[in-house]
Amino acid sequence: IGKIYLSGLSLNSASELIKSKIKSAFIGTDAFISLDQIRDIQIFITGGVNFPGIYTLNGNSHLLHALNVSGGISEDGSFREIEIKRNGKTINSIDLYEALILGDTSFNVPLKSGDTIFVKPAQKLVRVSGALNNIGIFELKEDETFEDLVNFAGGFSRLAKDSQELILNRLKKGKYESSVISIMDFKDTYVLNGD
């Protein structure tokens, strides 16, 4: 049937191509394709991870697997800005909140040997506590407001009898100042690093 070039194809695409070539060359014949071995790949992981370096991974590895192998994102690393670079060019910029909070894993591009994963430093970290479903520290982008923060925190919990306002503690000139933010102002009020 001649040469079949499979470089860059997924297993399903390669399988379909091989099956169609065999079917056209040998009428009435079906092919069954399986993968015997997957070649290992080497990935360079750098930036805000706990153990940066070069890692040898399974050929089926993706971003989350690579980050796990490198010890995860460090305290100073960004969950919102992770770049995958190939041949010196950024091929994908990933916001992990899309997967971890919103459940969207469509960013999962297969990694190739020689790729670099660069975790940028976190810019704006905000701590939330109280009557929200998920308390902790969240990272916000420049254009995100209190409404986004409440959404990331899973909204108000059932313990919140009156979810019409939040108390904002902001560091100004070395002292924390408290103010009340109404739910009506959530869309128009921006958070600052350390709030």
Side-chain angles (χ1 to χ4, degrees), residues 5-25:
Y5 296 96
L6 306 176
S7 179
L9 296 178
S10 68
L11 179 60
N12 284 343
S13 300
S15 181
E16 290 304 315
L17 179 61
I18 294 168
K19 286 178 183 180
S20 69
K21 290 276 192 183
I22 289 176
K23 203 170 221 175
S24 64

Side-chain angles (χ1 to χ4, degrees), residues 46-61:
T46 186
V49 292
N50 286 310
F51 305 109
I54 296 174
Y55 290 90
T56 301
L57 305 173
N58 178 294
N60 273 340
S61 296

